[in-house]
Amino acid sequence: ALLEVCCHTAARDADGADVPSLLVQRLHSLQVRSERPFIPFVSSHQQRGLWPSYVMVNFHGAPKAAAERAKFQTFDNNMFVSNWVAQLLLETLALQLLNDSDGRLVGEMIDEAMPALMSFRDQTRAPPSPVMCFWPQRLINGTYVAYPVNLMDPSLALLEVGRELERYLDQHHLHAVWERLAPFFSSFRDTALAFRIPADTDDSSANLALGTLLQRLSSLPSSSSSSSSSSLSSSLSSSSSSSSSATATATVSSSIKRAFSVWNLTSYDVQALGEEYVRYSYRPFGVGLDERLIDPRAYYFAREYLLEAERAGDYDLALLTTWLTNVSYSAQTFSQNVAMPFNVNNMDCSVLANSIFAIVSGVQANTVGFATAWEKAPFRALTNQSAAYVAWAIRSGRVAERPDLGLTYYPSIYAFYWFVSRTVHEFNGDASPQLLDSSMRSINRTLTAAMRDQGTAYLVNAAVCNGTFVYWDDFLGDNDTTADGKPLIRGQDRLFSTAVSMLALLNTWTQSSRWIAQTPGAVPPLLRGAALFLKSTILSDEYEPWNAFFSGSVHSMTGLPFNYPANHISYINGTILPLNATTDEVNPSLLAAMDGVIPEAIYQEMVNGPLGHFGLPVGTSFSGFNDIAFPFWCSPSITYATALLALTQAARLVI
C-alpha cells in the first residue's frame, strides 16, 4: 500500500512545507517576465513568456572537465521546453489539488507563455497551419529560417573573424599558420549549418497536446470546478474562504479559456497536421526515395523490425519521422538554409511516443475537430503502426540496448518511458475515454502491455534504494573523478530521472486515483521512497536540477550517420556517389541513407566490410552517454515541473 503517499505526506516535506506550492512559486520566478535583447558579451536574448533552457556540453572526467560542464551554459529560446512546462502545469492543475493562490499563479504563467509559444508556428506554411518549429524563425533573403540568436550570432561573428584572419595571413604569406587555425574556425561554420533545421513532428505534436489540455480544462464547468477546488484547497490551505476560492477558480478558468483562444487562433486547422504526418512518414517499401530513405543509424536500430515486417508481407508499413519534410523538398530549400541534419530523415522512439500521445488524446478529446483526421485510413494506420514499433522497441530490449540510436535526440530512457506511459494513462486514466475503433484498441493494447511488462521491469531494476529513499540516476555527472582519479558520482540528473520514472509508473499502474489490481508488489514501495526522496531534495542544494531533456544526435565516437552502412550515397543535388566513397567526399551537402530493406546477410557484409560507411568503424555497441562531449539542452524548469506533477499525482492515490 502507498498510504504514506497520500495528500499529507506527498504534498509536504518533513518540516511541513507545502512542496508543490513552493515548486509552483519556483516556476513562476523562473519564467522570463520581460524581453531581453542579445548584446554580444553582455546579455543573451530571452523571450518573454518562456522558461529558461540552456545548451550545455557533457564534458566529463577530471575536476576541470566537470567545471567546464557547469560553466558552459548558453540560454536558448525554444518552443519545446516551455511547451512541456506548460503541459505539466496544466496536468497538475487538472488534478485539482493546488491551493487557490497557486492555481492563480499557474493561470498567470499560462497566460504569459501562450503568445511566446504560438510565435513558433512555421511561417513557411500558410496559416492557420499547426506545424511548429523548435527555434524562432527569421526572414533571410525571402525565406524564413530557424535562427537561435544566442547560438547563431556568435557563430557567425567568429566565422567572420576567421575570414578576416585568413585574408590577413594570406596577405602576409602566412598560409601555414592559417592551416593550423582553419579547423577551429570551420567548426563554427558547421555549427551554424546545424541550426538551420526545418519544422518538426515533435514540436507540432507538443503543440497539439497543449491544445487538447487547454480545450479540456476550458470546457470544465466553472461551478463544479469551484466546488471541487474549494474542498481540496481547504485541506491544504486553512486561510482560503469559500468566496475567495470561487473567485480564484473563476480567475483560473478565465486564464485557461483565454489561453485556449490564443492557441485556437494559431492552430485551429489541426486536421492538416494528420496529413503532414502521413506525407512525411517513412515507408521502407514505398514507391519513391522520399518515402524509402532513412538515416543509416535508424535503419541499424530498426532493421530487425523492418525485416519482420517484410517477412509478414506488411508492405504498407509507415512510421512517423522526426522532420516534417523529405529529401526532395529539402533539396529545394537547402540553398535557402533550411535542411534536415545530414539531409535525411530519421525515427526517434521518443518523438513517436510523444506524437502518439498527442494524436490519441487529440482524437479522444476531438480537439477543435481533430477526430475528423482519424477518419482517414492512412492516418489511422500510421499511428497504429508507429505504436507497434514503439512497443517492439520496448519489448525487444532494443531501446535499452541502443538508446543512442533509438532515442536520437532524447538521451534519457526514463523520459522515454514516461512519454509512452502518457498514452497508457490516456486510455486508463480518470477520463476513461471511449476506445473509438480497432486501431485505438490496438494502440492501447500494445503500449499498455509493453509498459506493464518490460517497461516496468526496466524501471524497477534501475531503481536505487538508499534507506527510506528511492531514486533513479541517468548519466550526467556520473563519470567524473576526483583530483586523484577516484570515481565520483554526482547524480546531476537524479532529480529529473526520479520524477519522470515516478510518472511513468504512476501512469502505467493507476486508474482513477487507485492502483489497478495487477500492480506488481514492488511498485508502490518504490514510489513511496521516490516521493520521500523528491520531497526532501527537490528544493535543496544537494543535487543539481539538471536534465538532458534534448540533445544533438551524435553521442559517441561512432555516432555519425557515416559510421553505419548506407546503400544510397549522393549529394543533395542528386549526384550519385559509389558505395566505396571515403570521408574525402563528406561535406554539408552529402546524403547518406538506407534505401528500402535489404537481406540481413548483405547488410552484415556491409557492416564487416568497407562499403557504405566511408571507411569508418561501425558502431556495433554502445558503452553509454559518457563517451564523448556532446551538446544537450538542460532546463531546471522541466525538472521542477515534472517533480510537481509526480508529487501531486501521487498525492491523489487512495487505498
Side-chain angles (χ1 to χ4, degrees), residues 223-554:
S223 58
S224 63
S225 295
S226 174
S227 172
S228 176
S229 178
S230 175
S231 62
L232 289 168
S233 296
S234 64
S235 69
L236 296 177
S237 176
S238 59
S239 63
S240 296
S241 67
S242 60
S243 60
S244 65
S245 179
T247 302
T249 302
T251 301
V252 174
S253 178
S254 296
S255 295
I256 299 304
K257 285 181 167 61
R258 190 162 49 246
F260 180 60
S261 295
V262 172
W263 181 89
N264 200 12
L265 284 172
T266 304
S267 308
Y268 67 82
D269 189 19
V270 290
Q271 292 89 345
L273 187 57
E275 297 171 4
E276 295 273 345
Y277 287 146
V278 172
R279 181 177 299 117
Y280 298 115
S281 61
Y282 169 50
R283 299 174 180 273
F285 309 108
V287 296
L289 290 179
D290 283 335
E291 296 181 342
R292 296 196 311 266
L293 293 184
I294 199 69
D295 189 314
R297 296 170 296 183
Y299 185 90
Y300 186 93
F301 177 87
R303 70 185 191 279
E304 292 174 12
Y305 187 82
L306 302 177
L307 288 165
E308 188 178 304
E310 185 178 45
R311 286 192 294 271
D314 188 7
Y315 298 117
D316 292 325
L317 177 65
L319 300 170
L320 289 158
T321 54
T322 298
W323 306 106
L324 291 176
T325 187
N326 55 34
V327 171
S328 294
Y329 188 63
S330 196
Q332 298 173 29
T333 61
F334 183 86
S335 62
Q336 301 164 336
N337 288 318
V338 180
M340 295 178 283
F342 305 110
N343 303 307
V344 66
N345 222 326
N346 59 56
M347 299 176 298
D348 180 316
C349 289
S350 285
V351 173
L352 270 68
N354 289 334
S355 301
I356 291 161
F357 169 75
I359 292 166
V360 168
S361 60
V363 171
Q364 297 285 356
N366 193 22
T367 305
V368 292
F370 186 64
T372 305
W374 194 249
E375 296 173 2
K376 299 179 180 179
F379 181 42
R380 290 198 308 274
L382 171 65
T383 309
N384 195 358
Q385 291 167 336
S386 296
Y389 172 72
V390 169
W392 167 83
I394 297 172
R395 290 196 318 271
S396 66
R398 190 68 168 146
V399 73
E401 177 190 9
R402 294 304 303 263
D404 58 318
L405 304 182
L407 306 177
T408 321
Y409 298 104
Y410 290 88
S412 173
I413 194 168
Y414 302 121
F416 164 69
Y417 286 123
W418 166 45
F419 297 151
V420 179
S421 77
R422 296 179 85 206
T423 301
V424 174
H425 197 62
E426 172 67 22
F427 284 119
N428 302 308
D430 294 353
S432 299
Q434 177 185 2
L435 299 182
L436 299 178
D437 57 21
S438 60
S439 292
M440 283 289 177
R441 289 192 291 273
S442 175
I443 293 168
N444 177 31
R445 184 171 56 252
T446 56
L447 292 182
T448 298
M451 279 304 299
R452 289 184 179 170
D453 193 349
Q454 289 84 358
T456 295
Y458 185 95
L459 291 167
V460 169
N461 291 333
V464 178
C465 299
N466 184 7
T468 59
F469 287 169
V470 174
Y471 60 81
W472 283 264
D473 255 356
D474 213 336
F475 63 91
L476 285 179
D478 284 3
N479 195 34
D480 291 340
T481 61
T482 61
D484 55 357
K486 295 179 180 178
L488 187 61
I489 303 297
R490 300 181 188 272
Q492 290 176 322
D493 51 22
R494 184 171 295 175
L495 297 175
F496 172 76
S497 299
T498 300
V500 295
S501 296
M502 277 187 69
L503 287 170
L505 291 171
L506 285 165
N507 287 342
T508 300
W509 292 107
T510 64
Q511 183 175 15
S512 300
S513 305
R514 296 179 183 273
W515 296 106
I516 68 169
Q518 301 88 352
T519 302
V523 170
L526 288 179
L527 288 177
R528 179 176 62 233
L532 290 171
F533 172 76
L534 279 184
K535 283 184 297 172
S536 299
T537 58
I538 188 63
L539 293 168
S540 74
D541 296 327
E542 187 173 354
Y543 299 104
E544 299 283 359
W546 289 0
N547 48 67
F549 192 64
F550 191 81
S551 78
S553 68
V554 179

Side-chain angles (χ1 to χ4, degrees), residues 24-45:
V24 170
Q25 294 168 40
R26 177 71 61 89
L27 287 163
H28 187 267
S29 69
L30 286 171
Q31 190 177 27
V32 178
R33 293 282 156 174
S34 58
E35 197 86 6
R36 291 184 58 185
F38 172 79
I39 303 174
F41 309 110
V42 176
S43 68
S44 298
H45 174 231

Side-chain angles (χ1 to χ4, degrees), residues 77-258:
N77 300 285
N78 61 74
M79 181 262 198
F80 198 62
V81 163
S82 292
N83 180 292
W84 273 100
V85 175
Q87 286 190 59
L88 288 159
L89 286 171
L90 290 169
E91 287 188 43
T92 303
L93 186 65
L95 297 176
Q96 298 184 319
L97 283 183
L98 296 180
N99 63 42
D100 297 331
S101 175
D102 295 335
R104 280 195 296 263
L105 285 181
V106 170
E108 181 182 317
M109 285 187 276
I110 298 300
D111 254 347
E112 189 74 17
M114 289 308 295
L117 291 174
M118 295 304 99
S119 72
F120 288 86
R121 191 189 71 78
D122 181 20
Q123 298 182 74
T124 67
R125 289 168 164 87
S129 168
V131 173
M132 308 298 283
C133 295
F134 181 76
W135 278 315
Q137 290 175 306
R138 180 175 291 185
L139 186 62
I140 299 177
N141 298 326
T143 302
Y144 283 100
V145 300
Y147 200 97
V149 63
N150 298 330
L151 301 170
M152 187 70 86
D153 278 6
S155 297
L156 294 178
L158 287 166
L159 261 178
E160 187 57 34
V161 168
R163 293 190 188 100
E164 292 297 326
L165 182 59
E166 182 181 16
R167 281 193 287 268
Y168 174 84
L169 293 174
D170 276 348
Q171 289 171 1
H172 292 79
H173 308 291
L174 296 171
H175 189 69
V177 175
W178 170 249
E179 286 183 344
R180 291 197 297 272
L181 295 173
F184 170 76
F185 286 102
S186 66
S187 69
F188 295 105
R189 178 202 64 202
D190 296 338
T191 299
L193 289 172
F195 299 148
R196 59 183 186 173
I197 56 176
D200 65 277
T201 301
D202 219 4
D203 285 282
S204 303
S205 298
N207 182 56
L208 174 59
L210 176 64
T212 298
L213 278 166
L214 289 170
Q215 176 177 288
R216 282 174 164 168
L217 286 171
S218 65
S219 64
L220 291 175
S222 296
S223 58
S224 63
S225 295
S226 174
S227 172
S228 176
S229 178
S230 175
S231 62
L232 289 168
S233 296
S234 64
S235 69
L236 296 177
S237 176
S238 59
S239 63
S240 296
S241 67
S242 60
S243 60
S244 65
S245 179
T247 302
T249 302
T251 301
V252 174
S253 178
S254 296
S255 295
I256 299 304
K257 285 181 167 61
R258 190 162 49 246

